[in-house]
Amino acid sequence: SSSSSSSSSSSSSTWFNYEYVDANLEALYNFTGTDADSFDTDLGKSISDAIEVQVEALNLRTLLACPDQDYSYSAEITSSSSLYALYMDKVVPLSVLSTPTGTGNSPYHITSTGSLRYNLYSGSFYYDDVFAVAPFTNVFRYVAGLTGSTVSAVVASLTSSGKYDPLADGGLPSYVGGPGGVDDEGLYDLFFNDYDEPYVVAAVAAATGETPTAVPWRDDKEEEGFVDTTTCWEVMGEIFPCDDDVL
């Protein structure tokens, strides 16, 4: 880098020249003028050892599932490779919605399209991969007893709101809902995570004229059945079981 300043002026300008270095060993050897024998330092080795201890302690290399294809978090919801479609139609029903609320209403889930942050690749899906795909530990809420027409109105409002639309250029709306469609004549319990809570509650209030109560759902970490936006992915083994010789 280089810089220039003038004593006759209170302002200064700074220029930086940089070169992108791909994070692989061969590139780092070249950049640092080292090789496989001289690149590692004692401090670096000790840090690697400490990381390895934590990886083992947290069971990050536990194999959870063996997906049979790639799924993209930016693919259109109608695509067979949509990670959001997999999440809404299989992951959430098997985890978040697997326990009934006791109302007798059908469950339906809505989420903003910033919830998932990495693709899912075919082959092996480890516990460590969960935190790449879904790094946020948001808990769930639901509003009970909404008519299907109200749920449809809420989904339509949030989908077109532009409130949170990070992947619009990739074909995704601000929000997606599932599993499946909504029967306007049915009764639903509408689920969402607590990050989306203020937007969903406001949309329900606009559709019904009343501010709804958001009921906490399986959000106590000390109780069996706890689930959040990260732990819900632990059901992947039910969706994509691995062959016995892989486990």
Side-chain angles (χ1 to χ4, degrees):
S1 65
S2 61
S3 64
S4 174
S5 63
S6 172
S7 59
S8 63
S9 173
S10 60
S11 63
S12 63
S13 299
T14 302
W15 292 267
F16 292 94
N17 297 322
Y18 70 92
E19 181 177 344
Y20 176 78
V21 179
D22 189 27
N24 64 68
L25 282 174
E26 291 300 326
L28 292 174
Y29 294 159
N30 182 64
F31 182 73
T32 58
T34 60
D35 56 26
D37 294 325
S38 59
F39 178 75
D40 290 337
T41 64
D42 290 340
L43 178 58
K45 290 177 181 178
S46 66
I47 292 173
S48 295
D49 290 343
I51 291 173
E52 183 64 26
V53 168
Q54 292 304 311
V55 166
E56 294 298 327
L58 295 171
N59 298 313
L60 295 181
R61 291 202 179 92
T62 299
L63 180 63
L64 296 181
C66 296
D68 57 0
Q69 68 168 72
D70 295 346
Y71 290 88
S72 170
Y73 73 102
S74 60
E76 293 186 14
I77 194 70
T78 55
S79 169
S80 60
S81 63
S82 168
L83 185 59
Y84 273 99
L86 177 70
Y87 179 57
M88 302 302 286
D89 293 340
K90 293 187 177 181
V91 174
V92 169
L94 284 172
S95 56
V96 183
L97 309 181
S98 62
T99 302
T101 60
T103 63
N105 302 325
S106 299
Y108 193 79
H109 177 248
I110 186 171
T111 188
S112 59
T113 49
S115 302
L116 308 181
R117 294 303 178 97
Y118 197 67
N119 296 335
L120 187 154
Y121 295 101
S122 63
S124 301
F125 183 75
Y126 294 93
Y127 186 46
D128 190 30
D129 295 322
V130 170
F131 301 97
V133 171
F136 309 113
T137 55
N138 293 101
V139 293
F140 291 91
R141 305 282 188 258
Y142 73 93
V143 173
L146 297 179
T147 64
S149 58
T150 296
V151 171
S152 294
V154 168
V155 173
S157 172
L158 291 173
T159 296
S160 61
S161 67
K163 175 68 73 174
Y164 189 69
D165 203 5
L167 297 172
D169 292 339
L172 283 174
S174 298
Y175 285 77
V176 291
V182 175
D183 177 2
D184 283 352
E185 302 301 319
L187 279 178
Y188 292 86
D189 292 336
L190 180 62
F191 285 80
F192 44 89
N193 68 60
D194 60 350
Y195 177 87
D196 293 325
E197 181 175 349
Y199 309 117
V200 176
V201 166
V204 172
T208 64
E210 298 181 357
T211 300
T213 298
V215 182
W217 183 244
R218 298 168 58 185
D219 64 345
D220 189 341
K221 289 185 178 181
E222 304 303 319
E223 293 189 2
E224 184 178 356
F226 168 79
V227 65
D228 62 18
T229 51
T230 297
T231 60
C232 67
W233 288 88
E234 294 175 8
V235 302
M236 282 286 287
E238 298 179 46
I239 304 169
F240 301 112
C242 297
D243 294 335
D244 291 340
D245 59 346
V246 175
L247 296 173

